[in-house]
Amino acid sequence: MEWSKRPVPVFSVPAAKRGFKQIVVRNYDGDYRINRVIDKNPKPSSANDVLLSYQGIELSYVNDFTLWEGQLIFATGNGLYISEPYSNRIQCIISEPDLLFFSLCALDDRLYIGTSEGLYWIGADRFLELVTTVEQAN
């Protein structure tokens, strides 16, 4: 996977919209290297390689991301977000004003989450229940 984050061009855009970012996550034939790339001229790729193409403020402060249990998971300064690959839609599953998410590590059936309050883990079964609950709410 490759990570690309580019600021959306600002042409007299109000300050409220300056935090918008264009996020692209690509899959490269099973090569799961995670790279954070800020590139004004991204390499062309087929539409099938793009796991997520999103524009908004929610993913402006991504610290880490991973693909686990069929979901892209983003650890951000705003919360923990998920996206089903190829859906181009994100959902917040955890958000607390004073809690920052820094890192993710998927190991077997557990996802370890590094936060500003310590290290936590969630099991695959509980994670999938949480995903189902969030999807049903939307």
Side-chain angles (χ1 to χ4, degrees):
M1 278 187 298
E2 182 179 74
W3 164 261
S4 174
K5 178 174 74 172
R6 293 180 305 216
V8 174
V10 177
F11 302 108
S12 302
V13 176
K17 291 191 176 185
R18 288 189 188 141
F20 275 56
K21 302 287 186 224
Q22 181 180 6
I23 305 299
V24 179
V25 179
R26 291 185 175 89
N27 185 19
Y28 284 99
D29 297 326
D31 181 3
Y32 294 104
R33 287 178 297 121
I34 297 175
N35 297 317
R36 293 184 184 180
V37 178
I38 299 175
D39 189 353
K40 293 186 180 188
N41 300 309
K43 299 173 188 171
S45 66
S46 70
N48 295 340
D49 291 339
V50 177
L51 298 176
L52 173 68
S53 180
Y54 185 80
Q55 183 173 326
I57 61 171
E58 295 87 348
L59 300 180
S60 294
Y61 305 103
V62 174
N63 295 313
D64 199 3
F65 79 104
T66 191
L67 179 62
W68 185 65
E69 295 296 323
Q71 296 284 330
L72 286 165
I73 307 167
F74 298 89
T76 78
N78 303 333
L80 197 64
Y81 289 84
I82 59 171
S83 175
E84 185 176 342
Y86 308 108
S87 69
N88 289 336
R89 184 175 64 110
I90 65 167
Q91 297 174 327
C92 183
I93 59 172
I94 302 172
S95 181
E96 293 290 330
D98 297 330
L99 185 63
L100 303 175
F101 295 87
F102 294 120
S103 61
L104 300 169
C105 178
L107 185 62
D108 297 328
D109 66 339
R110 289 186 181 179
L111 177 67
Y112 294 88
I113 306 165
T115 74
S116 57
E117 293 184 1
L119 183 65
Y120 296 92
W121 66 267
I122 186 169
D125 293 340
R126 179 67 183 117
F127 176 77
L128 293 175
E129 287 175 17
L130 186 58
V131 169
T132 302
T133 302
V134 169
E135 287 177 347
Q136 289 174 351
N138 292 331

